[in-house]
Each structure stands twice: as structure tokens, then as C-alpha cells.
């Protein structure tokens, strides 16, 4: 039997899905988290059934892609669990009535039932059952209340015989609500007051700025704390002795020991030695992982509290300058952690134009945490000047390229039109699960590419392959960008991992101005391989090639101009 | 008094009277329970051409300025 979970966006379908199957699905407090659907299995009295988590939809007459998928999936289902938002019965019942019109057998789960009572909404469930003539079960997916009852109810699912005039649907719903819903007026709660203040421009924009600064400071504080107090001591006290013993064993094999440990004579430097077991493991685990961890923890708090859609609304006017609307802030923010989930999130955007612009701007001007972590290390030692120039340049580039694309890319960008969910207190398990899954993903993506990159760098140097490429590209590098020709190799490795490439800048002993130009060019010129492959899937090859061309031209132009400007100062 | 949604003031309440749009817009509005006869309250306006946020029942919806210009409201 195929069981479908159907309901409005952001009513807790994914949490119910997790409860029923134990399969991990990321849920967030904003609409459209599951544009993709997920399948899992659950057993009812010994029999295995397939459960499908359908993307949230407000209607069975699709108005966007997620809704089209939902309607398409409906054909596969034998029975439906209609997840109803108890805090928002009117809108939820609209979908329920459409299910009834199509004669689809279902049971209704009135989720967020406890939250509804908190806000003063009381629902007579028995009366609702009487009117609709289907099973209705109050649930609270987060705590698990009502879930086992829901599973049991699936043994007997029927088609509702409730009759109504489809043209007069809202009136019908109004009449039902009058009979079953009782609303007690309550005083404004703290969360409701916050809800208003955080979206009015006068108070909302200062709040947004404060949150962004706090986010930035706490990410640096937490990550640097982890690096200094956990990862460095661990590497030094546990890993260094192991490496020492290994290198003694491999003393006679020069090639192998160079590959594994890189250049180290007396003191081991994890950042510059460039061996598979030294730099290849230290950069992703020792430096980047702490940053990725703290970034995603803080982002998860913002997601689950429901703050992100407010950011989208407040950023809407700004984003319009680049021809995209406020919702594009979500891929951009995710991309600050790692560009791969950012690229995947472009799926929530509807038109080709929006996707193309968002993906291109993401690749050009949104440095991932890995790159940022290395930049903080590299440029941070010179004070804030270098970092300030790099990030300001990227912001300016974001606006200029965005504005050019807005006027040149064909197609339309729809306007923002979305529900803003209420604030909810993030729950611990949801946060840890989400952070854990994203870190698992990062480790799976980052470490293989990192090791491969270090290996490739060593092979390229060992066989002098880079010299040929350096010769061809050196006029561009030396004259336009003011960089030594050795930087060509850095950019080639940057295709694999940008953090690795920044690490390779260290032994070149560049001046601050050169480091700034190199960092900016490295950020702009190309997404890393992992992001690139996701974007090919999302945009198609033709659009991706166009996008890459824009990136390369932007990188050369911006690098050249920056080099000239910095030399003047 | 009737007003265009984008011209409503903050905290003003009213009832949706007319939606000047095609079938597609009507369907999208309908799906978020913005239908003719629905009572709404303007929660906030961003900049001049920015989106408006309206409260309907227990939820809030952000509406881009272009769409907000197509919605006529009977203001109380």
C-alpha cells in the first residue's frame, strides 16, 4: 500500500514522516523545505507499507513546481494522511475539501494541536469527524502525541461523503469553522510582539543587522575556540606522534613519504607541508570543520525559529536590484556554509531567470565557509584591512553583476508571494539532527576532493606539468593581476577545493596586496567541482557554460581593476 | 472607502473587494486563502516598492508590490 503525507507547507509533515519511518528528513520552519519528496517505510500490524512525504501544497490545482509534484504524486497513492495545521484550520481545510471532491480516501492528522490551544484556538475534533465523516486525530509530531493512534487509524481509511458546492468552498469552510472552532482572545505574547517588530522596516532592519553581526562574530568566536582548544591540541598530541612513527618506517621511500607527509624537515607544519596525511587531513578536519559546524548550528537556529522568511521579506527590495526576489536569500545564506546545499536550494526558485541569476551570483560572490575559514587565517594575520577589502569587493561585484544580469537575462522573475510562518522555539533534537546530517554531508564531499587535490598537486609538481600551463597563462597573471606565475597552479587546484588553494598561497610568500587579489580571483572565477556538478544538473549544460563564462570574465576584470587600484593607494 | 492594498496604512483593516488579475493570480491568491470577502490587516510595508505583509486570521503573508497593486480592499 502506498501512503501519502499531504498538507500545506510548513505544518510538520516532515516531522510526522520522521516519526512514522525513522528515516531522516530535514525539516525547517519555512515553506518549501521539501521540494523533493522522500520515501520511507512503515509497518502496520506486521505489513510493510511505503510512505511518501509529498512537498507541501496549498491546493490540488497547482500554482508552482512543488505543487505540481504534489498533484503528480497523488496518483501513486492508495491512501492519504492529510496533515492539517490546527493553528490555521481555514487554509488547511481548503485542501481537505479538495481531497474530498476528488474522492480520495484519507485520515486527517490535526497537527500542532498543542500550539493551537496555546494560542487560544479550541477545536471540537469529534464534531469535525461527524461533519466530514472521516477519522480526525489531534497530533503533536514533535512530542509524538497521537502518532500511534494515527498509525492504527490507517487500517481502515474511507472516502468522505461530505457534499458541498466547489464554487462556494470558502463559505462552506466558514460554516464548518463556526461549528467546530472556538477562539479565545488572548493577550499578545512575546513571540507575537517579536513577530511584528521584526518585520516592520523601522525596527526590523536594525534587528536584521544586529543578528547578522552577532552571527558573524559568534561563528568566528566558536570556530576559533574549537580550533585552538580542540582540533590543534588533538592533531598535535595524537596525530603528530603517529606521523612521526610512520615517517620513520618509510624513511627509505622518498616518493611515498613526500606524498604522504609533504615537505617537512624538522618541524611539521600542517598548513604548508602539503602531504596527504598532513595538510590533506588538517585543512578539512582541523580548520574547516569547526567553521562548518558553527555556521550550520547558527543557521539551523535561524531556520527553525522561522526567522529566515522575514529576512527574505526585508531583503526583497535589495534583491530586486539583481533581478531576483527575497526568497533567493535562502540559497545565498546556505551557500555561505557550503555552496553545494546553496546550489541545491536554487530549486525553490520558480523561473529560469531567477535560477540562473541566483546560481551565478552564488558562485561568484558567496564564499563558502571553507574558503572564508582559510581567508580569515591567511588575511586575518594582517589585521582587518585585507578581509575588509576582499568582502567589500565581493559585495560590490554581487550588485554590479546582478544588475547587469537583471537587464540582460531573458525571462521574468516573479514577485515574492509567500506565507510567513509564526516564530517557534527551535527544538534541540531538530537542530542537532540537521547539523549532524549537514556535517556528514560535508565530510563526505570535502575529504575525498581534498585528498585528491593534494595528490594531484604533488603529481603535477613532480612531473613538471604545471610549468607548461604556467608559461601560457603567465602574461595574464603577471601583467593584469600582478601575481607570480606560480599562482596558476593555485587556481587549477582551486577547481577542486578553494580552501586547499588558499593553503597553497601560503608558501608563495605574497605581499598583502597580491594576497587580496588572489583571494578575490579565487572566490570569483569558478565554483568548486562539487558545486559545479550540482549546478549542471540544476541549470542544464548550456546555461552552466554561460554562467561559467560570466564567472571567468568577471574574475579577470575584477582582479585587474583591483590590482590597479591597490597599487595606486 | 476602497483602497489599493499597496496604499493601505499600517494596522489598517479591510475586506478584499476585488482582485484585478488573471486566472493564475486568482488561483495563487485563493490557495493562500486570500479570497474576495476575506478580512485582512496590513502589518508592515517595506520601502515604497517593497513587499507588504498582511495578517489574515492566524497567519501572515508577504505580497510583492506588483501583486499588491492589483488587490482592492474595502477599508474599515
Amino acid at each position: 500500500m502506498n501512503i501519502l503525507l499531504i498538507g500545506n507547507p510548513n505544518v510538520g509533515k516532515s516531522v510526522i514522516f520522521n516519526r512514522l519511518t525513522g528515516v531522516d528528513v530535514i525539516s525547517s520552519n519555512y515553506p518549501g523545505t521539501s521540494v523533493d519528496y522522500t520515501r520511507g517505510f512503515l509497518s502496520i500490524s506486521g505489513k510493510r507499507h511505503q510512505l511518501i512525504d509529498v512537498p507541501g501544497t496549498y491546493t490540488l490545482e497547482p500554482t508552482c513546481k512543488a505543487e505540481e509534484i504534489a498533484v503528480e504524486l497523488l496518483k501513486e497513492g492508495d491512501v492519504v494522511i492529510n496533515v492539517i495545521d490546527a493553528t490555521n484550520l481555514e487554509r488547511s481545510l481548503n485542501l481537505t475539501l479538495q481531497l474530498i471532491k476528488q474522492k480520495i480516501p484519507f485520515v486527517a492528522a490535526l497537527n500542532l494541536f498543542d500550539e493551537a490551544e496555546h494560542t487560544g484556538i479550541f477545536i471540537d475534533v469529534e464534531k469535525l469527524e461527524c461533519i466530514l465523516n472521516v477519522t480526525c486525530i489531534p497530533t503533536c509530531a514533535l512530542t509524538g502525541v497521537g502518532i500511534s493512534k494515527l498509525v492504527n487509524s490507517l487500517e481502515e481509511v474511507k472516502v468522505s461523503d461530505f457534499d458541498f458546492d466547489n464554487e462556494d468552498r470558502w463559505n462552506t469552510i466558514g460554516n464548518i469553522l463556526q461549528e467546530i472552532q472556538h477562539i479565545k482572545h488572548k493577550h499578545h505574547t512575546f513571540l507575537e510582539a517579536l513577530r511584528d517588530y521584526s518585520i516592520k522596516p523601522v525596527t526590523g532592519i536594525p534587528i536584521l543587522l544586529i543578528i547578522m553581526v552577532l552571527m558573524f562574530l559568534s561563528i568566528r568566536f566558536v570556530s576559533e575556540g574549537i580550533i585552538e582548544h580542540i582540533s590543534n591540541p588533538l592533531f598535535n598530541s595524537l596525530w603528530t606522534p603517529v606521523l612521526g612513527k610512520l615517517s620513520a618506517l618509510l624513511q627509505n621511500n622518498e616518493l611515498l613519504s613526500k606524498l604522504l607527509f609533504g615537505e617537512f624537515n624538522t618541524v611539521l607544519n600542517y598548513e604548508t607541508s602539503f602531504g596527504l596525511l598532513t595538510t590533506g587531513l588538517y585543512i578539512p578536519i582541523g580548520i574547516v570543520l569547526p567553521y562548518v559546524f558553527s555556521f550550520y548550528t547558527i543557521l539551523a537556529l535561524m531556520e527553525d525559529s522561522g526567522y529566515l522568511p522575514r529576512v527574505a521579506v526585508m531583503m526583497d527590495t535589495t534583491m530586486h536590484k539583481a533581478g531576483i526576489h527575497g526568497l533567493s536569500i535562502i540559497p545565498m545564506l546556505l551557500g555561505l556554509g557550503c555552496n553545494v546545499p546553496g546550489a541545491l536550494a536554487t530549486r525553490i526558485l520558480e523561473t529560469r531567470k531567477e535560477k540562473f541569476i541566483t546560481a551565478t551570483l552564488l558562485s561568484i560572490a558567496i564564499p563558502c565557509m571553507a574558503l572564508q575559514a582559510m581567508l580569515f587565517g591567511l588575511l586575518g594575520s594582517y589585521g582587518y584591512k585585507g578581509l575588509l577589502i576582499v568582502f567589500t569587493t565581493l559585495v560590490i561585484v554581487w550588485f554590479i553583476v546582478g544588475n547587469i544580469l537583471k537587464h540582460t537575462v531573458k525571462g521574468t522573475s516573479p514577485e515574492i508571494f509567500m506565507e510567513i510562518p509564526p516564530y517557534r522555539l527551535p527544538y534541540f533534537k531538530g537542530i542537532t539532527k540537521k547539523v549532524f546530517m549537514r556535517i556528514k554531508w560535508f565530510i563526505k564531499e570535502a575529504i575525498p576532493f581534498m585528498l585528491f587535490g593534494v595528490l594531484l598537486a604533488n603529481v603535477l609538481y613532480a612531473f613538471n606539468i604545471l610549468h607548461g600551463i604556467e608559461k601560457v597563462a603567465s602574461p595574464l597573471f603577471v601583467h593584469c593581476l600582478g601575481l607570480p606565475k606560480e599562482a596558476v597552479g593555485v587556481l587549477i587546484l582551486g577547481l577542486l577545493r578553494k580552501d586547499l588553494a588558499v593553503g597553497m598561497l601560503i608558501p608563495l610568500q605574497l605581499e598583502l596586496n597580491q594576497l587580496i587579489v588572489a583571494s578575490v580571483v579565487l572566490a570569483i572565477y569558478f565554483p568548486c567541482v562539487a558545486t559545479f556538478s550540482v549546478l549542471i544538473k540544476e541549470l542544464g549544460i548550456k546555461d552552466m557554460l554561460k554562467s561559467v563564462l560570466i564567472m571567468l570574465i568577471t574574475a579577470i576584470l575584477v582582479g585587474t581593476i583591483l590590482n590597479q587600484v591597490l597599487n595606486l593607494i | 472607502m476602497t483602497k489599493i492594498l499597496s496604499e493601505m496604512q499600517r494596522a489598517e483593516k479591510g475586506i478584499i473587494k476585488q482582485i484585478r488579475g488573471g486566472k493564475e493570480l486568482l488561483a495563487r491568491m485563493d490557495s493562500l486563502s486570500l479570497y474576495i470577502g476575506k478580512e485582512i490587516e496590513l502589518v508592515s510595508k517595506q520601502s515604497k516598492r517593497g513587499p507588504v505583509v498582511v495578517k489574515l486570521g492566524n497567519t501572515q503573508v508577504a505580497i510583492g508590490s506588483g501583486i499588491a497593486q492589483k488587490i482592492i480592499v474595502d477599508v474599515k
Side-chain angles (χ1 to χ4, degrees):
Chain A
M1 186 163 75
N2 276 340
I3 305 165
L4 303 183
L5 271 174
I6 290 184
N8 290 169
N10 200 34
V11 297
K13 283 184 305 302
S14 296
V15 187
I16 291 190
F17 182 86
N18 287 347
R19 283 268 168 204
L20 291 175
T21 62
V23 174
D24 285 338
V25 180
I26 287 194
S27 60
S28 297
N29 188 6
Y30 55 87
T33 321
S34 340
V35 177
D36 263 332
Y37 58 93
T38 323
R39 291 163 196 269
F41 292 94
L42 93 154
S43 47
I44 307 167
S45 25
K47 264 193 218 154
R48 230 162 87 103
H49 302 287
Q50 184 172 232
L51 185 70
I52 303 175
D53 184 17
V54 178
T57 179
Y58 295 108
T59 167
L60 296 181
E61 292 146 18
T63 57
C64 69
K65 196 156 172 212
E67 293 183 343
E68 272 169 33
I69 298 170
V71 172
E72 203 53 40
L73 280 170
L74 199 57
K75 293 173 193 156
E76 282 186 40
D78 298 307
V79 298
V80 164
I81 300 174
N82 177 210
V83 185
I84 288 176
D85 178 357
T87 66
N88 218 322
L89 270 184
E90 187 195 35
R91 212 192 43 213
S92 286
L93 285 177
N94 180 38
L95 181 65
T96 309
L97 290 197
Q98 293 183 40
L99 287 171
I100 291 174
K101 251 294 134 20
Q102 298 206 7
K103 306 264 179 238
I104 291 164
F106 71 96
V107 292
L110 280 87
N111 200 31
L112 302 168
F113 203 77
D114 54 336
E115 193 182 310
E117 289 191 343
H118 268 286
T119 44
I121 299 170
F122 298 92
I123 300 163
D124 188 339
V125 181
E126 275 170 33
K127 215 172 201 172
L128 182 63
E129 276 189 329
C130 265
I131 295 172
L132 298 181
N133 198 17
V134 288
T135 315
C136 300
I137 296 154
T139 58
C140 172
L142 284 186
T143 57
V145 171
I147 296 296
S148 57
K149 234 176 153 184
L150 183 65
V151 174
N152 292 334
S153 73
L154 287 169
E155 304 219 37
E156 198 188 342
V157 184
K158 50 186 175 180
V159 177
S160 163
D161 54 10
F162 180 67
D163 193 35
F164 62 96
D165 176 10
N166 204 27
E167 290 297 305
D168 205 25
R169 214 160 54 211
W170 291 112
N171 264 333
T172 312
I173 295 169
N175 293 338
I176 297 176
L177 288 181
Q178 281 219 317
E179 281 192 52
I180 62 153
Q181 184 176 254
H182 171 64
I183 297 178
K184 238 195 209 163
H185 187 73
K186 282 206 170 176
H187 283 288
H188 264 270
T189 61
F190 170 70
L191 285 181
E192 277 167 44
L194 193 64
R195 186 171 168 167
D196 290 350
Y197 282 123
S198 60
I199 206 145
K200 284 179 197 159
V202 190
T203 42
I205 288 172
I207 292 176
L208 177 67
L209 287 176
I210 292 169
I211 287 181
M212 287 293 160
V213 170
L214 282 180
M215 196 174 149
F216 175 81
L217 290 179
S218 48
I219 288 170
R220 271 202 84 172
F221 178 76
V222 174
S223 330
E224 278 166 16
I226 298 176
I227 293 172
E228 197 179 319
H229 299 292
I230 301 174
S231 51
N232 279 348
L234 278 181
F235 266 90
N236 289 332
S237 63
L238 293 178
W239 193 231
T240 308
V242 175
L243 289 181
K245 277 187 190 142
L246 259 176
S247 77
L249 279 176
L250 294 171
Q251 223 168 17
N252 300 325
N253 195 332
E254 205 185 318
L255 186 73
L256 193 61
S257 59
K258 196 168 175 235
L259 200 61
L260 291 180
F261 313 114
E263 310 276 352
F264 85 98
N265 303 323
T266 44
V267 191
L268 171 62
N269 186 329
Y270 275 113
E271 280 177 41
T272 54
S273 56
F274 250 84
L276 281 175
L277 297 180
T278 53
T279 308
L281 288 181
Y282 178 71
I283 288 185
I285 299 175
I287 300 182
V288 175
L289 189 60
Y291 275 94
V292 171
F293 166 77
S294 43
F295 175 80
Y296 279 127
T297 307
I298 288 166
L299 187 74
L301 285 173
M302 290 193 22
E303 282 179 306
D304 284 14
S305 62
Y307 187 61
L308 278 191
R310 277 124 181 128
V311 180
V313 172
M314 270 179 296
M315 293 297 290
D316 190 63
T317 319
T318 313
M319 304 295 269
H320 267 291
K321 294 193 170 49
I324 41 187
H325 75 54
L327 207 57
S328 297
I329 195 80
I330 289 174
M332 304 273 179
L333 278 176
L334 284 169
L336 280 174
C338 168
N339 274 195
V340 174
L344 282 170
T346 55
R347 237 176 252 187
I348 61 176
L349 306 173
E350 283 162 41
T351 65
R352 174 194 162 257
K353 179 172 181 171
E354 269 182 300
K355 270 193 178 187
F356 182 82
I357 296 179
T358 307
T360 307
L361 291 182
L362 174 76
S363 311
I364 285 182
I366 307 291
C368 65
M369 244 325 129
L371 179 58
Q372 289 177 56
M374 295 301 287
L375 290 180
F376 288 144
L378 182 70
L379 297 170
S381 53
Y382 294 88
Y384 268 95
K385 185 191 160 198
L387 287 174
L388 200 67
I389 297 176
V390 170
F391 284 101
T392 315
T393 309
L394 289 180
V395 172
I396 296 172
V397 168
W398 190 97
F399 274 106
I400 295 177
V401 175
N403 201 272
I404 294 172
L405 291 179
K406 175 187 176 178
H407 291 106
T408 48
V409 178
K410 277 186 205 142
T412 54
S413 294
E415 281 191 85
I416 199 167
F417 188 58
M418 63 184 283
E419 192 203 343
I420 300 173
Y423 280 122
R424 290 189 179 127
L425 281 180
Y427 69 115
F428 185 71
K429 222 182 129 194
I431 302 274
T432 49
K433 195 181 215 172
K434 198 164 0 191
V435 172
F436 175 72
M437 278 177 68
R438 284 178 174 158
I439 283 189
K440 209 166 78 180
W441 195 14
F442 166 78
I443 291 175
K444 245 173 41 193
E445 290 283 333
I447 291 179
F449 278 119
M450 193 71 196
L451 295 178
F452 182 62
V454 173
L455 182 71
L456 191 68
N458 282 314
V459 171
L460 289 177
Y461 277 114
F463 295 98
N464 271 333
I465 297 170
L466 280 180
H467 278 294
I469 307 173
E470 277 173 8
K471 237 184 213 161
V472 179
S474 71
L476 175 70
F477 274 70
V478 176
H479 295 299
C480 298
L481 305 178
L483 297 174
K485 64 181 192 316
E486 287 81 14
V488 177
V490 174
L491 286 192
I492 292 176
L493 267 300
L495 300 179
L496 287 172
R497 295 270 330 152
K498 293 195 179 186
D499 43 359
L500 170 75
V502 177
M504 286 179 72
L505 288 174
I506 301 170
L508 295 184
Q509 305 204 320
L510 303 176
E511 292 165 23
L512 178 59
N513 282 353
Q514 290 178 309
L515 284 179
I516 292 172
V517 174
S519 306
V520 169
V521 171
L522 198 58
I524 295 175
Y525 80 116
F526 198 82
C528 65
V529 153
T531 310
F532 181 74
S533 55
V534 172
L535 283 180
I536 284 187
K537 255 190 262 160
E538 297 298 322
L539 296 181
I541 288 183
K542 216 173 121 195
D543 272 357
M544 193 57 216
L545 286 178
K546 279 186 205 162
S547 182
V548 167
L549 198 66
I550 295 170
M551 293 171 205
L552 289 173
I553 294 171
T554 313
I556 295 171
L557 279 178
V558 174
T560 310
I561 295 169
L562 198 59
N563 178 36
Q564 297 295 334
V565 173
L566 288 175
N567 283 335
L568 285 178
I569 301 170
Chain B
M1 185 178 58
T2 56
K3 269 189 184 178
I4 299 171
L5 174 58
S6 53
E7 285 169 1
M8 272 171 77
Q9 298 299 314
R10 230 185 300 136
E12 247 180 352
K13 286 182 189 171
I15 288 169
I16 299 180
K17 200 182 167 194
Q18 194 193 345
I19 298 164
R20 289 186 192 149
K23 236 182 171 176
E24 204 181 319
L25 179 66
L26 279 168
R28 278 182 76 189
M29 303 255 312
D30 190 75
S31 71
L32 281 175
S33 72
L34 283 159
Y35 50 86
I36 290 164
K38 176 80 182 176
E39 188 182 313
I40 56 170
E41 178 186 335
L42 196 95
V43 177
S44 83
K45 258 174 161 170
Q46 301 299 316
S47 60
K48 215 173 176 188
R49 277 147 94 213
V52 299
V53 176
V54 297
K55 188 176 171 196
L56 43 142
N58 209 17
T59 52
Q60 297 189 348
V61 176
I63 303 174
S65 64
I67 300 175
Q69 276 166 19
K70 295 178 180 159
I71 302 171
I72 315 292
V73 182
D74 227 342
V75 178
K76 279 186 193 167

